[in-house]
């Protein structure tokens, strides 16, 4: 069994573009919820399912960790910190 990402944190604000992109792609591939700390001080928790880096405003799409919530979109530039906060459902 491989090492889980659960509990890992990444300070995206301090990363270069390539490292930030790799961390976000890893979050999309993660099979659990992530917590995103935003530039305005808010935090959102949800399941990231898409990262779009092309175009003028790269964005993430996620399902909030609230039953019945519709998908939401968030500009990548708003995200300061990433936490793999939920249990990886593929980890046993």
């Amino acid at each position: 069994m491989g090492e889980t990402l659960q509990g890992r944190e990444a300070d995206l604000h301090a990363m270069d573009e390539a490292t930030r992109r790799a961390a976000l792609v890893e979050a999309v591939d993660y099979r659990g919820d992530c917590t995103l700390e935003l530039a305005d001080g808010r935090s959102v928790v949800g399941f990231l399912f898409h990262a779009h880096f092309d175009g003028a405003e790269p964005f993430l799409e996620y399902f909030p960790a609230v039953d019945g919530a519709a998908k939401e979109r968030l500009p990548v530039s708003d995200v300061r910190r990433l936490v793999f906060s939920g249990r990886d459902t593929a980890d046993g």
Side-chain angles (χ1 to χ4, degrees):
M1 188 174 301
E3 181 181 324
T4 182
L5 293 172
Q6 185 177 356
R8 194 174 107 194
E9 300 182 16
D11 183 1
L12 300 178
H13 187 64
M15 294 177 174
D16 63 53
E17 182 64 29
T19 306
R20 180 175 33 253
R21 182 180 290 209
L24 291 170
V25 167
E26 200 168 36
V28 168
D29 290 343
Y30 186 63
R31 291 153 301 215
D33 286 343
C34 291
T35 300
L36 303 173
E37 296 177 10
L38 308 179
D40 66 6
R42 293 182 302 130
S43 291
V44 296
V45 179
F47 181 79
L48 279 68
F49 67 90
H50 181 73
H52 181 82
F53 297 108
D54 298 329
E57 185 68 43
F59 62 87
L60 301 170
E61 289 183 299
Y62 68 99
F63 289 106
V66 177
D67 287 340
K71 70 180 180 181
E72 294 189 21
R73 182 180 283 193
L74 185 66
V76 168
S77 61
D78 286 356
V79 182
R80 295 294 181 251
R81 185 169 199 75
L82 164 67
V83 181
F84 293 86
S85 54
R87 181 181 162 277
D88 184 343
T89 58
D91 187 33

